[in-house]
Amino acid sequence: MRITVIGTGYLGAVHAACMAESGHEVLGVDVDVSKLAALSEGRPPFFEPGLPELLRRAVDAGSLRFTDSLQEAGEFGQVHFVCVGTPQLPGSYAADLRFVDAVVDGLAPHLRPGSLVVGKSTVPVGTAARLAARVAELAPAVTDGEADPELAWNPEFLREGFAVQDTLTPDRLVVGVTSERADALLREVYAPMLAAGTPYIGTDLATAELVKVAANSFLATKISFINAMAEVCDAAGGDVVTLADAIGHDPRIGRRFLSAGLGFGGGCLPKDIRAFMARAGELGVDEALSFLSDIDEINMGRRRRTVDLARELIGGSFLGRNIAVLGAAFKPDSDDVRDSPALNVAATLQLQGAQVRVHDPEAIDNARALFPTLDYALDVEKACERADLVLHLTEWREYRELDPTVLAKVVRVPRVLDGRNALDVDRWRDAGWTVRALGRAHH
């Protein structure tokens, strides 16, 4: 099938490569010509494990190419995936939908009869119905016997670091449609996944939109819950890791997303729960989601708590102190620094007088673009040189595998604050380090 993917950022580039891998002929569309040039050479503009190989294979095979023309896209494709961003609107909790609107307005006049526009962007409920009406209004008239272009919604559930896997072998496919024909087209698009037994949930447009934000809100709630428990453990002398292990054995609760620490960041969870609250207010049911405000506050409070604990460890003041920050990306196996808790803490420490040096295996360039006044190091030992305190803030495997005995020789004082509760505390203490972690005050 001929498929277009409009927007070749994180979601779009992965989706385009995976659709080509699944046997489709794919055209990627973007306004950023430098990004298109890199993708056309098989080079993704961001770090994602497995994507460069997939992209290069598709480009070399001729099953994936790129353009900046929506007219070309409309004339080429039968199914058009909309994968542009919906960032938080400045001065508001609401989502900024101008990129999605612009794509639909620009594409619709060029749609062929029978084509299907499929939204994958995360949007407030009700957006799909509005855009469906826009497609019907702007699409060219069809002749007798031809089907009108229409719109469906198919939210993405990608985890950065696992995006290729999540696209090729998803844990479910959620599809909001208004016709049997649209449903049949999407079943054809995803035939390899369905043949492998992927659950397929066909529903209406509104439910499809809500599934995405509901899932993200639940995950955010679970993370903030265990971080609230970490706060209680700090006050009461408990151990949040043991607590999480214990309650995680309950099958109704489960252990995943119960790792206490610095909290969540990135380009999805924070802005999605805020946009969900904003939309609930517009629908007149803001009280139903008022708890999400507490979830957001608990999450942001973890950053403040990390700074406070670092100050306490270092003797009450950051002035003149050297601090090494291990991690800049918001999560491991990614170079994404959007709303990164690690970078937020690093910048706060610098503002309060510390000399901060940051290391990350993949995100240094993106971090430097966002926070150019921080110092950066290309290897861990250089970052930790003469440090009075080391902060472990992104859970990269290479940080968990560090040799604390070797690192102790380059720091000024062997003190570490584990903001992710991921280091082997006994191993670090045996190497002479003072170790503190969120929610483990006496452990």
Side-chain angles (χ1 to χ4, degrees), residues 10 44-53 160-161 325-338 340 342-343 358-370 376-380 394-399:
Y10 181 80
F46 51 86
F47 175 75
E48 178 62 33
L51 181 59
E53 298 82 1
E160 293 197 28
V325 170
L326 302 185
F330 86 94
K331 65 174 287 186
D333 297 314
S334 172
D335 63 355
D336 193 342
V337 297
R338 290 176 294 174
S340 165
L343 271 184
V358 180
H359 175 270
D360 190 281
E362 294 290 342
I364 292 294
D365 289 345
N366 289 343
R368 187 182 279 116
L370 202 58
Y376 297 91
L378 296 179
D379 65 77
V380 173
T394 306
E395 196 183 338
W396 285 93
R397 186 175 70 179
E398 73 177 70
Y399 297 154

CSV table of all heavy atoms in Angstrom, one decimal, residues 10 44-53 160-161 325-338 340 342-343 358-370 376-380 394-399:
chain,number,residue,atom,x,y,z
A,10,TYR,N,10.3,12.5,16.0
A,10,TYR,CA,10.5,11.2,16.7
A,10,TYR,C,9.5,10.2,16.3
A,10,TYR,O,9.8,9.1,15.8
A,10,TYR,CB,10.5,11.5,18.2
A,10,TYR,CG,10.7,10.2,19.0
A,10,TYR,CD1,12.0,9.7,19.1
A,10,TYR,CD2,9.6,9.4,19.4
A,10,TYR,CE1,12.2,8.5,19.8
A,10,TYR,CE2,9.9,8.3,20.1
A,10,TYR,CZ,11.2,7.8,20.3
A,10,TYR,OH,11.4,6.6,20.9
A,44,PRO,N,18.9,9.3,11.0
A,44,PRO,CA,17.8,9.9,11.8
A,44,PRO,C,18.4,11.1,12.5
A,44,PRO,O,19.6,11.1,12.9
A,44,PRO,CB,17.4,8.8,12.7
A,44,PRO,CG,18.5,7.8,12.8
A,44,PRO,CD,19.2,7.9,11.5
A,45,PRO,N,17.6,12.1,12.7
A,45,PRO,CA,18.1,13.4,13.4
A,45,PRO,C,18.0,13.3,14.9
A,45,PRO,O,18.1,14.3,15.6
A,45,PRO,CB,17.1,14.4,12.9
A,45,PRO,CG,15.8,13.7,12.6
A,45,PRO,CD,16.2,12.3,12.2
A,46,PHE,N,17.9,12.1,15.4
A,46,PHE,CA,17.8,11.8,16.9
A,46,PHE,C,18.3,10.4,17.2
A,46,PHE,O,18.4,9.6,16.3
A,46,PHE,CB,16.4,12.1,17.5
A,46,PHE,CG,15.4,11.3,16.7
A,46,PHE,CD1,15.1,10.0,17.1
A,46,PHE,CD2,14.7,11.9,15.7
A,46,PHE,CE1,14.2,9.2,16.4
A,46,PHE,CE2,13.7,11.1,15.0
A,46,PHE,CZ,13.5,9.8,15.3
A,47,PHE,N,18.6,10.1,18.4
A,47,PHE,CA,19.1,8.8,18.8
A,47,PHE,C,17.9,7.9,19.2
A,47,PHE,O,17.1,8.3,20.0
A,47,PHE,CB,20.1,8.9,20.0
A,47,PHE,CG,20.5,7.6,20.5
A,47,PHE,CD1,21.4,6.8,19.8
A,47,PHE,CD2,20.0,7.1,21.7
A,47,PHE,CE1,21.8,5.6,20.3
A,47,PHE,CE2,20.4,5.8,22.2
A,47,PHE,CZ,21.3,5.1,21.5
A,48,GLU,N,17.8,6.8,18.5
A,48,GLU,CA,16.8,5.8,18.9
A,48,GLU,C,17.4,4.4,18.5
A,48,GLU,O,17.7,4.2,17.3
A,48,GLU,CB,15.5,6.0,18.2
A,48,GLU,CG,14.5,4.9,18.4
A,48,GLU,CD,14.0,4.9,19.9
A,48,GLU,OE1,14.0,5.9,20.6
A,48,GLU,OE2,13.7,3.7,20.4
A,49,PRO,N,17.6,3.5,19.4
A,49,PRO,CA,18.2,2.2,19.1
A,49,PRO,C,17.5,1.5,18.0
A,49,PRO,O,16.2,1.4,18.0
A,49,PRO,CB,18.1,1.4,20.4
A,49,PRO,CG,18.1,2.5,21.5
A,49,PRO,CD,17.4,3.7,20.9
A,50,GLY,N,18.2,0.9,17.0
A,50,GLY,CA,17.6,0.2,16.0
A,50,GLY,C,17.1,0.9,14.8
A,50,GLY,O,16.9,0.4,13.7
A,51,LEU,N,16.9,2.2,15.0
A,51,LEU,CA,16.3,3.0,13.9
A,51,LEU,C,17.2,3.3,12.7
A,51,LEU,O,16.8,3.2,11.5
A,51,LEU,CB,15.7,4.4,14.4
A,51,LEU,CG,15.1,5.3,13.3
A,51,LEU,CD1,13.9,4.6,12.7
A,51,LEU,CD2,14.6,6.6,14.0
A,52,PRO,N,18.5,3.6,12.9
A,52,PRO,CA,19.4,3.9,11.8
A,52,PRO,C,19.5,2.7,10.8
A,52,PRO,O,19.4,2.9,9.6
A,52,PRO,CB,20.8,4.1,12.4
A,52,PRO,CG,20.5,4.6,13.8
A,52,PRO,CD,19.2,3.9,14.2
A,53,GLU,N,19.5,1.5,11.3
A,53,GLU,CA,19.6,0.3,10.4
A,53,GLU,C,18.3,0.1,9.6
A,53,GLU,O,18.3,-0.2,8.4
A,53,GLU,CB,19.9,-1.0,11.3
A,53,GLU,CG,21.2,-1.0,12.1
A,53,GLU,CD,21.1,-0.2,13.4
A,53,GLU,OE1,20.1,0.3,13.7
A,53,GLU,OE2,22.2,-0.1,14.0
A,160,GLU,N,10.3,5.9,24.2
A,160,GLU,CA,11.6,6.2,23.7
A,160,GLU,C,12.6,5.2,24.2
A,160,GLU,O,12.6,4.8,25.3
A,160,GLU,CB,12.0,7.6,24.1
A,160,GLU,CG,11.0,8.7,23.5
A,160,GLU,CD,11.6,10.1,23.5
A,160,GLU,OE1,12.9,10.2,23.5
A,160,GLU,OE2,10.8,11.0,23.5
A,161,GLY,N,13.5,4.8,23.3
A,161,GLY,CA,14.4,3.7,23.6
A,161,GLY,C,13.9,2.4,23.1
A,161,GLY,O,14.7,1.4,22.9
A,325,VAL,N,27.1,15.9,37.2
A,325,VAL,CA,25.7,15.4,37.0
A,325,VAL,C,25.8,14.3,35.9
A,325,VAL,O,26.3,14.6,34.8
A,325,VAL,CB,24.8,16.5,36.5
A,325,VAL,CG1,23.5,15.9,36.0
A,325,VAL,CG2,24.5,17.5,37.7
A,326,LEU,N,25.4,13.1,36.2
A,326,LEU,CA,25.5,12.0,35.3
A,326,LEU,C,24.1,11.8,34.7
A,326,LEU,O,23.2,11.3,35.4
A,326,LEU,CB,25.9,10.7,36.0
A,326,LEU,CG,27.3,10.7,36.7
A,326,LEU,CD1,27.7,9.4,37.2
A,326,LEU,CD2,28.4,11.2,35.7
A,327,GLY,N,23.9,12.3,33.5
A,327,GLY,CA,22.6,12.2,32.8
A,327,GLY,C,22.1,13.5,32.4
A,327,GLY,O,22.1,14.5,33.2
A,328,ALA,N,21.7,13.7,31.1
A,328,ALA,CA,21.1,14.9,30.6
A,328,ALA,C,19.7,14.5,30.0
A,328,ALA,O,18.8,15.3,30.1
A,328,ALA,CB,22.0,15.6,29.6
A,329,ALA,N,19.6,13.4,29.3
A,329,ALA,CA,18.4,13.0,28.7
A,329,ALA,C,17.3,12.7,29.8
A,329,ALA,O,17.7,12.4,30.9
A,329,ALA,CB,18.6,11.7,27.9
A,330,PHE,N,16.0,12.8,29.4
A,330,PHE,CA,15.0,12.6,30.4
A,330,PHE,C,14.9,11.1,30.8
A,330,PHE,O,14.3,10.8,31.8
A,330,PHE,CB,13.7,13.2,29.9
A,330,PHE,CG,12.8,12.2,29.1
A,330,PHE,CD1,11.9,11.4,29.7
A,330,PHE,CD2,13.0,12.2,27.7
A,330,PHE,CE1,11.1,10.6,28.9
A,330,PHE,CE2,12.2,11.3,26.9
A,330,PHE,CZ,11.3,10.5,27.5
A,331,LYS,N,15.4,10.2,29.9
A,331,LYS,CA,15.4,8.8,30.2
A,331,LYS,C,16.5,8.2,29.5
A,331,LYS,O,17.1,8.8,28.5
A,331,LYS,CB,14.1,8.2,29.8
A,331,LYS,CG,13.8,8.2,28.4
A,331,LYS,CD,12.5,7.4,28.0
A,331,LYS,CE,12.7,5.9,28.1
A,331,LYS,NZ,11.6,5.1,27.7
A,332,PRO,N,17.0,6.9,29.9
A,332,PRO,CA,18.1,6.3,29.1
A,332,PRO,C,17.7,5.9,27.7
A,332,PRO,O,16.5,5.8,27.4
A,332,PRO,CB,18.4,5.1,30.0
A,332,PRO,CG,17.1,4.8,30.8
A,332,PRO,CD,16.5,6.1,31.0
A,333,ASP,N,18.7,5.6,26.9
A,333,ASP,CA,18.5,5.1,25.5
A,333,ASP,C,17.7,6.1,24.7
A,333,ASP,O,16.9,5.8,23.8
A,333,ASP,CB,17.7,3.8,25.5
A,333,ASP,CG,18.5,2.7,26.1
A,333,ASP,OD1,19.8,2.6,25.9
A,333,ASP,OD2,18.0,1.9,27.0
A,334,SER,N,18.0,7.4,25.0
A,334,SER,CA,17.4,8.5,24.2
A,334,SER,C,18.3,9.7,24.3
A,334,SER,O,19.1,9.9,25.3
A,334,SER,CB,16.0,8.8,24.8
A,334,SER,OG,15.5,10.0,24.3
A,335,ASP,N,18.2,10.6,23.3
A,335,ASP,CA,18.9,11.9,23.4
A,335,ASP,C,17.9,13.0,23.6
A,335,ASP,O,18.3,14.2,23.4
A,335,ASP,CB,19.8,12.1,22.2
A,335,ASP,CG,19.0,12.2,20.9
A,335,ASP,OD1,17.8,12.0,20.9
A,335,ASP,OD2,19.6,12.5,19.8
A,336,ASP,N,16.7,12.7,24.0
A,336,ASP,CA,15.7,13.7,24.2
A,336,ASP,C,15.8,14.4,25.5
A,336,ASP,O,15.9,13.8,26.6
A,336,ASP,CB,14.3,13.0,24.2
A,336,ASP,CG,13.1,13.9,24.0
A,336,ASP,OD1,13.3,15.1,24.3
A,336,ASP,OD2,12.0,13.4,23.7
A,337,VAL,N,16.0,15.7,25.5
A,337,VAL,CA,16.1,16.5,26.7
A,337,VAL,C,14.9,17.4,27.0
A,337,VAL,O,15.0,18.3,27.9
A,337,VAL,CB,17.4,17.4,26.6
A,337,VAL,CG1,18.7,16.5,26.5
A,337,VAL,CG2,17.3,18.4,25.5
A,338,ARG,N,13.8,17.2,26.3
A,338,ARG,CA,12.6,18.0,26.6
A,338,ARG,C,12.1,17.7,28.0
A,338,ARG,O,11.9,16.6,28.4
A,338,ARG,CB,11.5,17.6,25.6
A,338,ARG,CG,11.8,18.1,24.1
A,338,ARG,CD,10.7,17.6,23.2
A,338,ARG,NE,10.7,16.2,23.0
A,338,ARG,CZ,9.8,15.5,22.4
A,338,ARG,NH1,8.8,16.2,21.8
A,338,ARG,NH2,9.8,14.2,22.3
A,340,SER,N,13.6,17.7,30.7
A,340,SER,CA,14.4,16.7,31.4
A,340,SER,C,14.6,17.0,32.9
A,340,SER,O,15.2,18.1,33.2
A,340,SER,CB,15.8,16.6,30.7
A,340,SER,OG,16.7,15.9,31.6
A,342,ALA,N,16.8,15.8,34.9
A,342,ALA,CA,18.2,15.9,35.1
A,342,ALA,C,18.8,17.2,34.8
A,342,ALA,O,19.5,17.8,35.6
A,342,ALA,CB,19.0,14.8,34.3
A,343,LEU,N,18.4,17.8,33.6
A,343,LEU,CA,18.9,19.1,33.2
A,343,LEU,C,18.3,20.2,34.0
A,343,LEU,O,19.0,21.2,34.3
A,343,LEU,CB,18.6,19.3,31.7
A,343,LEU,CG,19.7,18.8,30.7
A,343,LEU,CD1,19.2,19.2,29.3
A,343,LEU,CD2,21.1,19.4,31.0
A,358,VAL,N,28.3,18.2,33.3
A,358,VAL,CA,27.2,17.2,32.9
A,358,VAL,C,27.8,16.2,31.9
A,358,VAL,O,28.5,16.6,31.0
A,358,VAL,CB,26.0,17.9,32.3
A,358,VAL,CG1,25.0,16.9,31.9
A,358,VAL,CG2,25.4,19.0,33.2
A,359,HIS,N,27.5,15.0,32.1
A,359,HIS,CA,27.8,13.9,31.2
A,359,HIS,C,26.6,13.2,30.8
A,359,HIS,O,25.6,13.0,31.5
A,359,HIS,CB,28.8,12.9,31.8
A,359,HIS,CG,29.1,11.7,30.8
A,359,HIS,ND1,28.3,10.6,30.8
A,359,HIS,CD2,30.0,11.6,29.8
A,359,HIS,CE1,28.8,9.7,29.9
A,359,HIS,NE2,29.8,10.3,29.3
A,360,ASP,N,26.5,12.8,29.5
A,360,ASP,CA,25.4,11.9,29.0
A,360,ASP,C,26.0,11.1,27.8
A,360,ASP,O,26.7,11.7,27.0
A,360,ASP,CB,24.2,12.7,28.6
A,360,ASP,CG,23.0,11.8,28.3
A,360,ASP,OD1,22.9,11.2,27.2
A,360,ASP,OD2,22.1,11.6,29.2
A,361,PRO,N,25.7,9.9,27.6
A,361,PRO,CA,26.2,9.1,26.5
A,361,PRO,C,25.7,9.6,25.1
A,361,PRO,O,26.4,9.4,24.1
A,361,PRO,CB,25.7,7.7,26.8
A,361,PRO,CG,25.4,7.6,28.2
A,361,PRO,CD,25.0,9.0,28.6
A,362,GLU,N,24.5,10.2,25.1
A,362,GLU,CA,23.9,10.6,23.8
A,362,GLU,C,23.4,12.0,23.7
A,362,GLU,O,23.2,12.5,22.6
A,362,GLU,CB,22.8,9.6,23.4
A,362,GLU,CG,23.2,8.2,23.2
A,362,GLU,CD,24.0,8.0,21.9
A,362,GLU,OE1,24.0,8.9,21.0
A,362,GLU,OE2,24.8,7.0,21.8
A,363,ALA,N,23.1,12.6,24.8
A,363,ALA,CA,22.3,13.8,24.8
A,363,ALA,C,23.1,15.1,25.0
A,363,ALA,O,22.5,16.2,25.1
A,363,ALA,CB,21.2,13.8,25.8
A,364,ILE,N,24.4,15.1,24.9
A,364,ILE,CA,25.2,16.3,25.2
A,364,ILE,C,24.9,17.4,24.2
A,364,ILE,O,24.7,18.6,24.6
A,364,ILE,CB,26.8,15.9,25.1
A,364,ILE,CG1,27.1,15.0,26.3
A,364,ILE,CG2,27.6,17.2,25.1
A,364,ILE,CD1,27.0,15.7,27.7
A,365,ASP,N,24.9,17.1,22.9
A,365,ASP,CA,24.6,18.2,21.9
A,365,ASP,C,23.2,18.9,22.2
A,365,ASP,O,23.1,20.1,22.1
A,365,ASP,CB,24.7,17.6,20.5
A,365,ASP,CG,26.1,17.3,20.1
A,365,ASP,OD1,27.0,17.7,20.8
A,365,ASP,OD2,26.3,16.5,19.1
A,366,ASN,N,22.2,18.1,22.4
A,366,ASN,CA,20.9,18.6,22.7
A,366,ASN,C,20.9,19.4,24.0
A,366,ASN,O,20.2,20.4,24.1
A,366,ASN,CB,19.8,17.5,22.7
A,366,ASN,CG,19.6,16.9,21.3
A,366,ASN,OD1,19.9,17.5,20.3
A,366,ASN,ND2,19.0,15.8,21.3
A,367,ALA,N,21.6,18.9,25.0
A,367,ALA,CA,21.6,19.6,26.3
A,367,ALA,C,22.3,20.9,26.1
A,367,ALA,O,21.9,21.9,26.7
A,367,ALA,CB,22.3,18.7,27.3
A,368,ARG,N,23.5,20.9,25.4
A,368,ARG,CA,24.2,22.2,25.2
A,368,ARG,C,23.4,23.2,24.5
A,368,ARG,O,23.5,24.4,24.8
A,368,ARG,CB,25.5,21.9,24.5
A,368,ARG,CG,26.5,23.1,24.4
A,368,ARG,CD,27.7,22.8,23.6
A,368,ARG,NE,28.7,22.0,24.4
A,368,ARG,CZ,29.1,20.8,24.2
A,368,ARG,NH1,28.6,20.1,23.2
A,368,ARG,NH2,30.0,20.3,25.0
A,369,ALA,N,22.6,22.8,23.5
A,369,ALA,CA,21.7,23.7,22.8
A,369,ALA,C,20.7,24.3,23.7
A,369,ALA,O,20.3,25.5,23.6
A,369,ALA,CB,21.1,23.0,21.6
A,370,LEU,N,20.2,23.6,24.7
A,370,LEU,CA,19.2,24.1,25.6
A,370,LEU,C,19.8,24.9,26.8
A,370,LEU,O,19.2,25.9,27.2
A,370,LEU,CB,18.4,22.9,26.1
A,370,LEU,CG,17.0,23.1,26.7
A,370,LEU,CD1,16.1,23.8,25.6
A,370,LEU,CD2,16.4,21.8,27.1
A,376,TYR,N,30.1,20.7,30.1
A,376,TYR,CA,29.8,19.3,29.6
A,376,TYR,C,31.1,18.5,29.4
A,376,TYR,O,32.1,19.1,29.1
A,376,TYR,CB,29.0,19.3,28.3
A,376,TYR,CG,27.7,20.0,28.4
A,376,TYR,CD1,27.5,21.3,28.2
A,376,TYR,CD2,26.6,19.2,28.9
A,376,TYR,CE1,26.3,21.9,28.3
A,376,TYR,CE2,25.3,19.8,29.0
A,376,TYR,CZ,25.2,21.2,28.8
A,376,TYR,OH,24.0,21.8,28.9
A,377,ALA,N,31.0,17.3,29.7
A,377,ALA,CA,32.2,16.4,29.6
A,377,ALA,C,31.8,15.2,28.7
A,377,ALA,O,30.7,14.7,28.8
A,377,ALA,CB,32.7,15.9,31.0
A,378,LEU,N,32.8,14.7,27.9
A,378,LEU,CA,32.5,13.6,27.0
A,378,LEU,C,32.8,12.3,27.6
A,378,LEU,O,32.5,11.2,27.0
A,378,LEU,CB,33.4,13.8,25.7
A,378,LEU,CG,33.0,15.0,24.9
A,378,LEU,CD1,33.9,15.1,23.7
A,378,LEU,CD2,31.5,15.0,24.5
A,379,ASP,N,33.4,12.2,28.8
A,379,ASP,CA,33.6,10.9,29.5
A,379,ASP,C,33.3,11.2,31.0
A,379,ASP,O,33.4,12.3,31.5
A,379,ASP,CB,34.9,10.3,29.3
A,379,ASP,CG,36.1,11.2,29.9
A,379,ASP,OD1,36.2,11.1,31.2
A,379,ASP,OD2,36.8,11.8,29.2
A,380,VAL,N,32.9,10.1,31.7
A,380,VAL,CA,32.4,10.2,33.0
A,380,VAL,C,33.5,10.6,34.0
A,380,VAL,O,33.3,11.5,34.9
A,380,VAL,CB,31.9,8.8,33.5
A,380,VAL,CG1,31.5,8.8,35.0
A,380,VAL,CG2,30.6,8.4,32.7
A,394,THR,N,20.1,10.2,35.3
A,394,THR,CA,19.5,9.4,34.2
A,394,THR,C,20.0,8.0,34.3
A,394,THR,O,21.2,7.8,34.4
A,394,THR,CB,19.8,10.0,32.9
A,394,THR,OG1,19.5,11.4,32.9
A,394,THR,CG2,19.0,9.4,31.8
A,395,GLU,N,19.1,7.0,34.2
A,395,GLU,CA,19.4,5.6,34.5
A,395,GLU,C,20.0,4.9,33.3
A,395,GLU,O,19.5,3.9,32.8
A,395,GLU,CB,18.2,4.9,35.0
A,395,GLU,CG,18.5,3.6,35.7
A,395,GLU,CD,17.2,2.8,36.1
A,395,GLU,OE1,16.1,3.5,36.2
A,395,GLU,OE2,17.3,1.6,36.2
A,396,TRP,N,21.1,5.4,32.8
A,396,TRP,CA,21.9,4.7,31.7
A,396,TRP,C,22.6,3.5,32.3
A,396,TRP,O,23.1,3.5,33.4
A,396,TRP,CB,22.9,5.6,31.1
A,396,TRP,CG,22.4,6.7,30.2
A,396,TRP,CD1,22.0,8.0,30.5
A,396,TRP,CD2,22.1,6.6,28.8
A,396,TRP,NE1,21.6,8.7,29.4
A,396,TRP,CE2,21.6,7.8,28.3
A,396,TRP,CE3,22.2,5.5,27.9
A,396,TRP,CZ2,21.2,8.0,27.0
A,396,TRP,CZ3,21.9,5.8,26.5
A,396,TRP,CH2,21.4,7.0,26.1
A,397,ARG,N,22.6,2.4,31.5
A,397,ARG,CA,23.2,1.2,32.0
A,397,ARG,C,24.7,1.4,32.3
A,397,ARG,O,25.2,0.9,33.3
A,397,ARG,CB,23.1,0.1,30.9
A,397,ARG,CG,23.7,-1.2,31.4
A,397,ARG,CD,23.4,-2.3,30.4
A,397,ARG,NE,24.3,-2.2,29.2
A,397,ARG,CZ,24.3,-3.0,28.2
A,397,ARG,NH1,23.5,-4.0,28.1
A,397,ARG,NH2,25.1,-2.8,27.1
A,398,GLU,N,25.4,2.3,31.5
A,398,GLU,CA,26.8,2.5,31.8
A,398,GLU,C,27.1,3.2,33.2
A,398,GLU,O,28.1,3.0,33.7
A,398,GLU,CB,27.5,3.3,30.7
A,398,GLU,CG,27.2,4.7,30.6
A,398,GLU,CD,28.0,5.4,29.4
A,398,GLU,OE1,27.7,5.1,28.3
A,398,GLU,OE2,28.9,6.1,29.7
A,399,TYR,N,26.1,3.9,33.7
A,399,TYR,CA,26.3,4.5,35.0
A,399,TYR,C,26.1,3.4,36.1
A,399,TYR,O,26.8,3.4,37.1
A,399,TYR,CB,25.3,5.6,35.2
A,399,TYR,CG,25.4,6.8,34.3
A,399,TYR,CD1,24.4,7.6,34.0
A,399,TYR,CD2,26.7,7.1,33.8
A,399,TYR,CE1,24.5,8.7,33.2
A,399,TYR,CE2,26.8,8.2,32.9
A,399,TYR,CZ,25.7,9.0,32.6
A,399,TYR,OH,25.9,10.1,31.8
